[in-house]
Amino acid sequence: MDKLEEIFKMQYELNKRIGVDTAAMGDDERVKWVLNYSRALGQENAELVDSVPWWAKYQKFDPQNARVEVVDMLHFIVSLAQTLGMSADDFYQAYAKKNHINHDRQDSGYAVKDENDCRSI
């Protein structure tokens, strides 16, 4: 098992332990948890921002806490992916395709937005 598969497995087990079984959700439950995990990601992002001095001189950079917040965000990203029915392989494949599209955008100067360039993902 590769590391991404292991992360997906661990997250699924943690979510089931707290009463969230992404494999057994109906559409209404999926909508609820997509929103919950999206909000949680926003909160973790705010906590990450608070680990980095950006507006007040008295703030100190806290790289240890910043790393923890990034890992917390990964917990919610994986949970969100699982809520949307994605496996570790689905996630990897979508990432690889989107990464290729992003490189193509950089190569072309990303001067024009193509609404359809992500349809293949």
Side-chain angles (χ1 to χ4, degrees):
M1 179 179 300
D2 74 15
K3 289 180 174 148
L4 185 59
E5 288 173 338
E6 182 68 17
I7 288 169
F8 268 65
K9 180 179 181 283
M10 289 188 296
Q11 191 61 43
Y12 180 75
E13 290 170 0
L14 177 61
N15 287 342
K16 275 188 71 172
R17 184 173 182 187
I18 63 174
V20 180
D21 186 353
T22 55
M25 290 180 174
D27 285 347
D28 289 344
E29 193 76 357
R30 284 190 196 287
V31 167
K32 171 186 162 184
W33 283 100
V34 165
L35 291 171
N36 286 346
Y37 290 138
S38 296
R39 291 176 183 127
L41 268 169
Q43 181 61 40
E44 294 302 337
N45 188 61
E47 293 173 16
L48 174 60
V49 169
D50 286 343
S51 298
V52 180
W54 63 277
W55 66 275
K57 292 182 181 182
Y58 67 83
Q59 287 181 300
K60 301 280 189 247
F61 178 42
D62 187 348
Q64 188 278 333
N65 189 66
R67 288 188 290 265
V68 170
E69 301 307 340
V70 168
V71 171
D72 286 345
M73 291 172 76
L74 181 59
H75 277 91
F76 291 119
I77 288 170
V78 171
S79 293
L80 184 55
Q82 290 172 330
T83 301
L84 295 170
M86 297 175 81
S87 67
D89 188 59
D90 295 333
F91 188 86
Y92 173 81
Q93 294 299 325
Y95 179 91
K97 288 176 184 177
K98 180 62 183 207
N99 186 269
H100 180 76
I101 289 166
N102 287 342
H103 278 281
D104 287 347
R105 288 174 175 176
Q106 292 305 307
D107 291 344
S108 70
Y110 203 19
V112 177
K113 172 114 174 110
D114 180 354
E115 304 294 332
N116 296 311
D117 66 352
C118 291
R119 296 271 181 222
S120 65
I121 298 175

